[in-house]
Amino acid sequence: AVVVLNFWATFCGPCREEMPALNRLSLHAHPQKLQVIAINLDEDRDALVRKLVDRWQLDFPVVMDRKGEVAKAYGVSVLPATFIIGPDGAVIARALGERPWADASYLAWFDSLSSKMMD
């Protein structure tokens, strides 16, 4: 599957704005073709993260990176940061800053990408 790996934090307004669009992308895609995973970089806001995940009814995993180790491995310096990863584990694309992931053009791109990757 193609993986959409999104780094975010509760204090990042654009990150919070982007979450519902990522959820729509996740719901749009077939789980065997595309997986969305969000990595939260807050050090000690687990309760707030859970509250937001529930409020947004997120349909994808949200994991905590309290020490920023995963973010460091990906060279994240701007939030939100999103990495598109192919089935082979290679980064295909990266987006720094908020994106309208649920717009028709993005949905079509992901459909095309995941179809190509799965062939």
Side-chain angles (χ1 to χ4, degrees):
V2 172
V3 174
V4 176
L5 188 63
N6 176 267
F7 292 87
W8 72 289
T10 59
F11 57 80
C12 167
C15 299
R16 291 168 70 139
E17 291 292 321
E18 187 176 60
M19 281 294 146
L22 282 168
N23 199 48
R24 286 192 297 279
L25 172 62
S26 176
L27 292 169
H28 167 82
H30 191 283
Q32 290 180 319
K33 291 187 174 188
L34 186 126
Q35 290 283 314
V36 175
I37 301 170
I39 299 182
N40 180 274
L41 299 177
D42 288 296
E43 291 179 11
D44 59 357
R45 293 186 173 177
D46 292 20
L48 177 57
V49 171
R50 279 194 299 277
K51 180 180 174 183
L52 292 172
V53 167
D54 289 346
R55 179 187 306 159
W56 295 326
Q57 300 178 347
L58 298 182
D59 186 51
F60 54 83
V62 176
V63 296
M64 304 299 291
D65 184 20
R66 289 180 194 91
K67 295 181 181 178
E69 294 167 348
V70 179
K72 184 177 180 180
Y74 278 87
V76 173
S77 60
V78 174
L79 293 176
T82 305
F83 296 82
I84 313 305
I85 303 167
D88 62 356
V91 174
I92 300 166
R94 132 185 119 157
L96 303 179
E98 181 182 0
R99 297 291 190 276
W101 297 113
D103 281 6
S105 60
Y106 279 101
L107 295 178
W109 184 77
F110 278 110
D111 285 344
S112 171
L113 179 65
S114 58
S115 291
K116 280 187 232 172
M117 292 286 179
M118 298 307 287
D119 289 344

